[in-house]
Amino acid sequence: VQLQASGGGLVQPGGSLKLSCAASGGPFRTYTMGWFRQAPGKERESVAGISRGGGRTAYADSVKSRFTISRDNAKNTVTLQMTSLKPEDTAVYYCAASRYGTVVSNIMPSEHEYGDWGQGTQVTVSS
């Protein structure tokens, strides 16, 4: 499946931003979806994941209660609503699709289980 992320930009600390990821070329509803991010000089880390039907989600501790992942299987999209943004949220954000991984007990599949990746969208949180 091909993924196209959008919605990044510059936002002040405490602000909000909504990222979107549009999927094409595959049966979107059969993929577990996730958002990852990579800050300069750091390894890529998981942010949030959502099950195929959207009923189960998982979040990194650093974004719990601030970020919300959702999906619309009719529109082949997954979104990441980010609120109360902090400078440490600055990173390139990637959406990814996992054909076989699942979200279980608030744990998303590990990075290597995601076989398809979007191109990334830059989020910068700065005053």
Side-chain angles (χ1 to χ4, degrees), residues 30-36 44-52 56-60 69 71 96-115 117:
T30 67
Y31 288 86
T32 294
M33 298 300 296
W35 285 96
F36 293 77
R44 189 158 57 189
E45 62 177 359
S46 59
V47 175
I50 189 166
S51 61
R52 293 171 180 80
R56 298 187 301 277
T57 56
Y59 297 93
I69 187 172
R71 67 188 295 164
S98 175
R99 186 67 178 87
Y100 302 106
T102 59
V103 174
V104 178
S105 300
N106 298 316
I107 298 175
M108 61 189 284
S110 56
E111 183 175 340
H112 76 274
E113 295 184 79
Y114 289 83
W117 293 79

